[in-house]
Amino acid sequence: MAESKVLSVLREPTLQTAANCVRQALAQHQCILLLGECEVEYHGRARSTLASGERIVLIKTDGAVLVHRPTGYEPVNWQPSDCRFRTRLENKSLIIDAVHSEPHESLSVHFANVAVFVAARLSDIGEFNLHVSEREMQQAVVAEPKLLLPDFRPISFEKQVEPGFIDVYGLDSEGRLVVVELKRVNAGRAAALQLSRYVAYVKTTTQKKIRGILAAPGLQRGTQKLLATLGLEYIHVDLERCARVVSSQKERKIVDFLM
Amino acid sequence: MAESKVLSVLREPTLQTAANCVRQALAQHQCILLLGECEVEYHGRARSTLASGERIVLIKTDGAVLVHRPTGYEPVNWQPSDCRFRTRLENKSLIIDAVHSEPHESLSVHFANVAVFVAARLSDIGEFNLHVSEREMQQAVVAEPKLLLPDFRPISFEKQVEPGFIDVYGLDSEGRLVVVELKRVNAGRAAALQLSRYVAYVKTTTQKKIRGILAAPGLQRGTQKLLATLGLEYIHVDLERCARVVSSQKERKIVDFLM
DNA sequence: TGCTAAATCTCGAAC
DNA sequence: GTTCGAGGTTTAGCA
């Protein structure tokens, strides 16, 4: 823990001190954490006001701003990256304005007091990896077609047709065309209807028998009935198996598996 | 600034000290801020890993967790409210597990070091007010129909028809039926096509003349031409005026304004 | 409780 | 640059 690192921590600084430190940290593009009582105003794509309360304000190195209340996932107010800042003292308040262009938006935070000020230069190059995205499901199905059907032979993926992109497209053991719509989560009516549109389109292009398959870890209520009405099928896909296939095949290119 | 407030700030505590303080703060449902080098793992609706780097971790009073990198709006990892926590030391790491039920998800943050620890009981009851949502645009148009057309008489709003919900539905000065699709932002092709579906549907239910109106602060490129092709109209809506109408009418119920 | 639609959605990829 | 679609979307409003 060699701490030659840039890091300032102030507990209950005066507003004047806080203002100076915020200015300096902004100039050096450090990350800033402020904990204190504040009001917030926003003008831009919408408008909002937030009455006084104790919050956590985070200003990031790219000029993004987040104002967090003590509960919940979402910031109550925020500003996207690439803001320009102005910091000033006015009427016994520390005011930080964050102004964004294109679209033009402005966020104004008025601190009545600052309980904690933290500024730091953070070094973060750690890779983030999300497993089993919809794309990876697709890769898994193309790489291991038996995840879908025994003897399924994929022909293409992300095939562009008039109504959109067919996730996976191939032939079953009896030579019928198979149109597959993949969903990473339980599939609902929208997915069934989208599949239906793809199947309808493909029917106009060939004389062959066509199967429309909605492949997902599960179905939302009522979707099974809709599929039956539309003459489509549901196939359960095991996300765990997809994840294993994807990780084991990661080095190979997806296109290698096509006919 | 009477500071009898609950507030702990530690700079570069040992992991043992940090662990104790985190446990205590969690037990008291305080907000916790941690700045330090960590790795993160997530299992749940998906799976993810995040390699080592310096981040800001925020644990809120309702058991929500946010892990923020030095840039961007979104947390790289998070956990929704109502988590259960476990804090422990293992292999020279401070490990904080946040486990959520329904859906079952777990987040594990491994700190190699903690640069700053902050815990505080925050008091925040300030009211948040967002002006001019799409709903409020609707209210404004129903309350002040001349925002749309002189002598426009609204009949209903959010009227359910086969293709979906018609935002506003009414009669113009010449007794023609008016179907209105509202957009809070510049309207594009999707909005025009949706309006077109509503108008097509309404035509099947009546002999009357019908006007389809896309009402928005502006149009996206190409949408004007599409509207012309579809026989629809565009009307500019002033968001400022909507905001004023909404705020001045806020105490009245929207249904009061219907015919 | 479950589903639908909106969000100051954000973010990335494709065109 | 713009558009399009996905997201561990989240969140709020209703049936």
Side-chain angles (χ1 to χ4, degrees), chain A residues 148-258:
Chain A
L148 207 63
L149 289 170
D151 296 308
F152 175 62
R153 286 167 290 164
I155 297 171
S156 74
F157 59 95
E158 289 293 345
K159 178 182 173 64
Q160 181 166 23
V161 294
E162 217 299 283
F165 291 85
I166 294 176
D167 288 336
V168 179
Y169 187 72
L171 297 170
D172 73 1
S173 54
E174 297 175 36
R176 289 173 293 199
L177 277 174
V178 179
V179 175
V180 183
E181 173 70 16
L182 286 173
K183 282 294 154 197
R184 205 180 44 72
V185 293
N186 288 1
R189 286 196 321 220
L193 293 169
Q194 180 155 14
L195 174 59
S196 173
R197 285 193 291 274
Y198 293 153
V199 169
Y201 172 80
V202 173
K203 276 191 178 148
T204 67
T205 69
T206 179
Q207 304 287 348
K208 287 189 180 173
K209 282 274 184 189
I210 299 173
R211 296 173 68 182
I213 293 179
L214 185 53
L219 288 182
Q220 290 175 20
R221 203 155 45 71
T223 307
Q224 183 62 267
K225 181 159 281 183
L226 176 57
L227 283 175
T229 307
L230 296 169
L232 305 172
E233 303 167 58
Y234 161 67
I235 287 184
H236 169 76
V237 176
D238 187 338
L239 292 183
E240 299 278 338
R241 289 179 65 197
C242 286
R244 269 172 300 195
V245 170
V246 167
S247 60
S248 71
Q249 304 285 357
K250 200 157 242 170
E251 64 287 349
R252 298 189 59 182
K253 288 240 168 28
I254 185 171
V255 77
D256 292 344
F257 297 97
L258 297 180

Side-chain angles (χ1 to χ4, degrees), chain B residues 10-193:
Chain B
L10 301 175
R11 183 175 165 151
E12 286 163 29
T14 65
L15 292 180
Q16 179 66 64
T17 304
N20 292 339
C21 292
V22 167
R23 281 197 200 97
Q24 188 181 343
L26 283 172
Q28 297 176 10
H29 289 275
Q30 296 176 16
C31 268
I32 302 173
L33 266 165
L34 290 159
L35 194 159
E37 186 180 336
C38 60
E39 301 174 16
V40 186
E41 223 176 302
Y42 160 79
H43 290 252
R45 284 169 287 181
R47 288 147 188 275
S48 71
T49 53
L50 176 62
S52 184
E54 294 173 336
R55 285 127 202 168
I56 294 158
V57 177
L58 178 51
I59 303 177
K60 294 198 177 182
T61 58
D62 59 351
V65 184
L66 304 167
V67 181
H68 273 280
R69 308 191 86 160
T71 61
Y73 164 86
E74 292 189 333
V76 60
N77 276 114
W78 72 93
Q79 198 68 300
S81 346
D82 305 317
C83 281
R84 308 269 297 184
F85 294 89
R86 196 176 52 161
T87 305
R88 66 190 197 278
L89 287 171
E90 200 177 294
N91 290 338
K92 298 182 180 173
S93 288
L94 163 60
I95 303 180
I96 303 177
D97 290 323
V99 179
H100 192 268
S101 311
E102 215 66 33
H104 182 73
E105 309 183 86
S106 72
L107 185 74
S108 191
V109 185
H110 296 229
F111 281 95
N113 66 66
V114 174
V116 182
F117 165 90
V118 178
R121 181 177 304 286
L122 300 187
S123 143
D124 180 4
I125 54 167
E127 187 181 358
F128 176 74
N129 221 320
L130 180 69
H131 321 294
V132 198
S133 61
E134 197 163 66
R135 161 69 74 171
E136 284 177 319
M137 254 182 96
Q138 202 181 89
Q139 290 180 25
V141 168
V142 173
E144 283 289 351
K146 67 179 189 296
L147 279 173
L148 208 63
L149 290 169
D151 295 310
F152 174 62
R153 286 166 290 163
I155 296 172
S156 74
F157 57 96
E158 290 294 345
K159 179 183 174 64
Q160 182 166 23
V161 295
E162 218 300 282
F165 290 86
I166 295 175
D167 287 336
V168 179
Y169 187 71
L171 297 170
D172 74 2
S173 55
E174 296 173 38
R176 289 173 293 199
L177 277 174
V178 179
V179 175
V180 183
E181 174 70 15
L182 285 174
K183 283 292 153 198
R184 204 179 43 73
V185 294
N186 288 1
R189 284 196 322 216
L193 293 170

Side-chain angles (χ1 to χ4, degrees), chain A residues 21-40:
Chain A
C21 292
V22 167
R23 280 196 201 98
Q24 188 182 343
L26 284 171
Q28 298 175 10
H29 289 276
Q30 296 176 16
C31 268
I32 302 173
L33 266 166
L34 291 159
L35 194 159
E37 185 180 335
C38 61
E39 302 174 16
V40 186

